[in-house]
Amino acid sequence: MKSNRLLHDPAERHFAALVVFLGLVFLIGGGSRGDIQSLIVLRPISVLVCGAALVGLALTDTLRYRMVFGILLGSMALILLHLLPLPPGLWQSLSGRELLAETDRLSGTGDVWRPLSLAPDSTWNAFFTMFTPLAALLLIARLGSRHLQRLVPVLLGIGTFSAVLGLLQIIGPPDSRLYFYRIHTDGMAVGLFANRNHAAMLLAVMFPLLTLFASSGNTENSMKLRSWLAITVAITLVPMILATGSRAGLLLSVLAIAGSALFYRRQEGLHRRREAHKAGRRPLLLLAAFLAVGGASFLLSRATAINRLFSEGVSEDLRFSIWGPTIDAALEFFPFGSGLGTFVEAFKIDEPDSLIGPSYVNHAHNDFLELFMTGGLPAIVLALAGLAIAGKWAWQSWFGGEADNSRVQLARAGSIIVLTLVLGSIADYPLRVPSLACLLVVGIIWMVPERLGAEPKTR
């Protein structure tokens, strides 16, 4: 019966396709580098999924998410503009091209039509990266509220798998085959990722997901069972976050727990006063458990993130030494940037001697600064527009005066996920990871107010 329903119900087929696609993305799309071998599989599949998802997609299916589509497609269009060949005179007049123009003159190359991007191959890489979140968005556009809520246990399962994998990684040898990427954070619980900060951010957003899971029971007994199961899983997450060694992940986890506790308390009006009183104590119990497990981990010398907070000063962190030169380069290439995706090549032009070493600087470790440097003013305007839209939707979900229901709770959880990833971008680059970019898409879609459009029609 279930298999027949899956075959004949378009919504079920689209949901199943989305689950399979998300599983694949998290399994092989946990790194940000452009030379990861698994991208040979992920990117063609993403393009094919985009094509398949467009078949039968009506305009009414996308109207509800028109602003999300606008930002994503606008970003892809901007990348393509950076690849458009420009007349020699126009290209040479752009800021930051003086060295290359002088090189062309001395080498006798002559006037050559060049794109705005200083490294077109890297910009093409940035363009094809966008197909993975676009595929996720196209699949989600075919789903209604019921299926959006069913994504909660799917994401919880992915996060749990990553946490368990991270546990096995720190138990085993540093060169264990359980590390999926050749270049990764050695000896840390990175799970499905190459970077400990990205692994910790996924674990951090599990707290609002667990809150949704705990509050979605149909009966009093099921809610009790879900609540205590969620608390148990949340407590076990704490030492795993500490084991990643990510200071940003630790701080973002505290933020996620606080936000989750707040919107769990906000739904107390849905239950009897006696049950609400008990529910109101659960966030406090969870916070106490967080502090207790964190303290125990610290005493047992297993809290790598805590140790890093005290053993390494902020001034010693390399990323803070990168920000100054990145700002200088952004101003040099202003207003159009060096070309999206060209940070490595553009940063080398005026890289300070103090940063030159056996390894290269792969990112600015502040995605807003990197976006300003490589994309210039247009990219910043596009990013600010996206943040403004997301901020408006987040405000409406928390303070819009709408009745507390499952859809509003989903929007509040989505706002915590988006906020976690945006704040994480201040000191890192989580949204350059395909899996976390898809997670951002899910979080934003959850935030979209219902009144923006009717339920998507599946066919």
Side-chain angles (χ1 to χ4, degrees):
M1 293 295 292
K2 289 184 178 180
S3 60
N4 290 334
R5 185 183 68 177
L6 179 62
L7 290 174
H8 294 92
D9 187 347
E12 290 293 332
R13 293 201 301 269
H14 298 148
F15 178 75
L18 176 61
V19 171
V20 172
F21 181 70
L22 288 177
L24 176 67
V25 173
F26 274 91
L27 187 63
I28 65 176
S32 63
R33 294 173 59 91
D35 58 354
I36 296 176
Q37 293 182 354
S38 58
L39 294 179
I40 299 175
V41 176
L42 179 60
R43 288 184 176 173
I45 289 179
S46 297
V47 174
L48 291 175
V49 169
C50 286
L54 285 171
V55 176
L57 183 68
L59 181 62
T60 54
D61 294 335
T62 60
L63 284 178
R64 186 179 181 187
Y65 306 125
R66 55 190 176 274
M67 295 183 183
V68 185
F69 274 106
I71 295 296
L72 186 54
L73 294 178
S75 301
M76 298 181 73
L78 181 59
I79 297 174
L80 288 178
L81 286 176
H82 284 192
L83 292 166
L84 192 66
L86 301 175
L90 178 59
W91 182 86
Q92 293 170 6
S93 67
L94 295 176
S95 299
R97 273 67 181 180
E98 295 82 8
L99 178 62
L100 296 179
E102 181 65 13
T103 301
D104 285 344
R105 187 186 68 81
L106 294 176
S107 63
T109 302
D111 293 335
V112 179
W113 286 57
R114 297 183 185 274
L116 184 149
S117 172
L118 295 180
D121 288 345
S122 297
T123 303
W124 276 115
N125 175 68
F127 177 73
F128 286 112
T129 297
M130 302 295 291
F131 278 97
T132 301
L134 177 61
L137 178 57
L138 288 170
L139 289 174
I140 293 176
R142 310 290 288 267
L143 304 178
S145 296
R146 181 172 64 89
H147 288 94
L148 292 180
Q149 293 168 2
R150 286 174 58 186
L151 282 174
V152 174
V154 174
L155 295 176
L156 279 175
I158 292 174
T160 302
F161 178 77
S162 183
V164 172
L165 179 62
L167 177 62
L168 296 176
Q169 287 168 344
I170 59 177
I171 292 176
D175 58 347
S176 171
R177 292 182 178 273
L178 294 176
Y179 288 102
F180 288 3
Y181 301 94
R182 181 175 60 87
I183 299 178
H184 60 268
T185 309
D186 291 331
M188 300 294 180
V190 296
L192 293 169
F193 299 89
N195 184 295
R196 63 183 169 205
N197 292 321
H198 305 156
M201 289 179 197
L202 176 62
L203 298 182
V205 301
M206 286 188 67
F207 291 107
L209 296 176
L210 288 169
T211 303
L212 285 175
F213 175 79
S215 60
S216 60
N218 296 324
T219 64
E220 181 179 324
N221 289 334
S222 66
M223 286 199 66
K224 284 184 178 180
L225 179 61
R226 284 172 173 261
S227 295
W228 288 111
L229 180 60
I231 289 175
T232 301
V233 174
I235 291 175
T236 60
L237 284 177
V238 176
M240 294 309 305
I241 293 172
L242 297 173
T244 63
S246 171
R247 294 176 294 183
L250 179 61
L251 297 176
L252 291 173
S253 297
V254 174
L255 173 66
I257 290 176
S260 301
L262 183 60
F263 86 77
Y264 191 90
R265 290 175 63 87
R266 278 179 167 266
Q267 63 149 3
E268 291 175 358
L270 299 175
H271 311 294
R272 294 195 302 268
R273 188 179 300 275
R274 178 174 60 85
E275 288 300 317
H277 178 69
K278 293 180 179 180
R281 294 199 305 262
R282 288 182 186 131
L284 297 178
L285 292 174
L286 181 57
L287 182 58
F290 182 95
L291 296 175
V293 175
S297 300
F298 177 66
L299 292 175
L300 294 174
S301 298
R302 301 297 297 174
T304 309
I306 295 289
N307 291 336
R308 290 184 71 236
L309 282 174
F310 292 98
S311 63
E312 183 178 328
V314 171
S315 61
E316 299 175 8
D317 196 323
L318 179 62
R319 75 189 66 205
F320 297 103
S321 302
I322 300 172
W323 291 357
T326 300
I327 295 174
D328 293 338
L331 295 176
E332 180 181 352
F333 292 113
F334 187 82
F336 299 111
S338 62
L340 288 165
T342 65
F343 175 82
V344 173
E345 294 83 359
F347 189 81
K348 289 179 180 178
I349 295 177
D350 291 312
E351 183 176 3
D353 294 341
S354 59
L355 295 178
I356 296 177
S359 60
Y360 68 93
V361 179
N362 64 331
H363 287 289
H365 291 273
N366 182 315
D367 246 356
F368 300 102
L369 290 182
E370 182 167 340
L371 194 63
F372 182 37
M373 171 184 164
T374 59
L377 186 59
I380 290 298
V381 170
L382 198 60
L384 289 177
L387 289 175
I389 293 171
K392 178 182 177 181
W393 291 343
W395 180 270
Q396 291 174 347
S397 68
W398 287 90
F399 309 106
E402 299 183 24
D404 283 338
N405 55 43
S406 58
R407 189 66 183 86
V408 173
Q409 297 301 310
L410 199 67
R412 290 170 180 164
S415 68
I416 296 175
I417 292 174
V418 172
L419 180 62
T420 299
L421 294 174
V422 169
L423 291 179
S425 299
I426 295 177
D428 211 275
Y429 43 93
L431 299 182
R432 297 181 184 274
V433 179
S435 56
L436 293 183
C438 290
L439 181 61
L440 178 75
V441 169
V442 173
I444 290 177
I445 292 301
W446 283 354
M447 293 168 58
V448 176
E450 289 185 290
R451 62 177 176 273
L452 284 185
E455 285 286 297
K457 298 178 181 179
T458 54
R459 50 186 55 82

